Amino acid sequence: SLPIAVLVSGSGSNLQSIIDRIEEGVLDAEIKLIVSNKARAYGIERAKKHGIPYKVLLHTDFRSREDFDSALVECITDAGVGEDGLVVMAGFMRIVTSVFLGAFENRVINIHPALLPSFPGVHGQADAADYGVKISGCTVHFVDEQMDHGPVIVQGAVPCQAGEDGDVLGPRILKLEHRVLPQAIQWFGEGRLKIEGRHVELRVAGRPYASQP
Ligand code: GAR
């Protein structure tokens, strides 16, 4: 199974969806480590409850982003997530530097609660609702050095109606997040994601999905 590290900053409901799919046997992965950059993140409680190794790494304890990132790389690789593994940002509210991305090239994914490249940032759901979009959703993407940016793996769409704000839209999007993130991890583990420049191709038995008969 695919060795993964999951990075969280908050409630960790996406982390929970990964744990649940693994326990159900539909996601062939093993969480080697959960890292939180917040001491009080509820994601830590989920780690404890399921007996999964975890670490709290406070970015405020480090002098620079790079120092924090190298500590992050060290604890993830020490936990056994290396060349054959994947790092999943599940509500991890930090921009990572080349120190981190260089250590896990094309092996870091993130989930965002909007249809990127629209509405990046920490209030994706509310920003989309306030803008008045008719459709929003969520995006799983490979991570680059910009915030909520990088090749898109999968997106899910939800309808949005006049008068609905981020508080209404947020839970609807979150439900979808809990489906697409484990799916993206499973595809990665099956070796089905091929990055071609900005595009990620989904493959079936080695061939592009779109060219299947
Ligand atoms: C999720 O909605 C995730 O998409 C979002 O934070 C939430 C974390 O919830 N991430 C971002 O906004 C990234 N810019 P969770 O801790 O319950 O999984």
Side-chain angles (χ1 to χ4, degrees):
S1 62
L2 176 72
I4 64 174
V6 183
L7 313 186
V8 301
S9 300
S11 119
S13 70
N14 276 290
L15 163 66
Q16 189 66 52
S17 76
I18 297 167
I19 294 172
D20 292 346
R21 296 298 89 74
I22 292 173
E23 290 185 351
E24 286 164 12
V26 294
L27 172 55
D28 187 18
E30 186 187 347
I31 305 178
K32 297 283 195 182
L33 184 69
I34 293 166
V35 185
S36 171
N37 68 322
K38 295 275 168 71
R40 291 170 193 282
Y42 188 69
I44 294 300
E45 302 308 315
R46 299 182 196 269
K48 288 180 189 164
K49 195 172 159 218
H50 291 269
I52 301 169
Y54 67 92
K55 192 167 177 71
V56 177
L57 209 57
L58 302 177
H59 56 269
T60 44
D61 287 344
F62 295 86
R63 278 171 31 203
S64 65
R65 281 187 184 278
E66 286 75 11
D67 284 358
F68 174 76
D69 282 4
S70 41
L72 202 55
V73 169
E74 197 179 310
C75 66
I76 291 171
T77 45
D78 285 354
V81 179
E83 293 286 283
D84 57 345
L86 176 70
V87 179
V88 180
M89 295 186 176
F92 184 65
M93 299 305 197
R94 296 277 303 169
I95 295 176
V96 287
T97 67
S98 58
V99 170
F100 188 76
L101 295 172
F104 303 107
E105 217 187 332
N106 296 336
R107 294 187 164 275
V108 185
I109 66 172
N110 177 49
I111 182 141
H112 181 70
L115 294 175
L116 294 174
S118 292
F119 313 112
V122 292
H123 306 294
Q125 311 92 325
D127 292 345
D130 295 347
Y131 189 91
V133 299
K134 300 299 185 201
I135 296 171
S136 192
C138 59
T139 305
V140 182
H141 63 94
F142 283 103
V143 172
D144 65 18
E145 282 173 57
Q146 297 176 54
M147 182 181 54
D148 300 323
H149 193 271
V152 171
I153 299 167
V154 59
Q155 294 182 304
V158 302
C160 185
Q161 277 159 26
E164 292 183 335
D165 61 8
D167 292 341
V168 176
L169 197 55
R172 196 179 295 155
I173 294 173
L174 195 59
K175 240 179 120 186
L176 198 54
E177 292 185 46
H178 297 161
R179 286 172 51 197
V180 297
L181 184 57
Q183 175 68 86
I185 297 168
Q186 180 62 24
W187 283 336
F188 183 93
E190 290 171 0
R192 290 179 56 186
L193 302 179
K194 188 157 183 285
I195 304 179
E196 302 266 15
R198 286 218 53 81
H199 296 269
V200 179
E201 203 175 76
L202 178 62
R203 302 193 143 236
V204 179
R207 292 159 65 210
Y209 186 73
S211 72
Q212 295 300 304

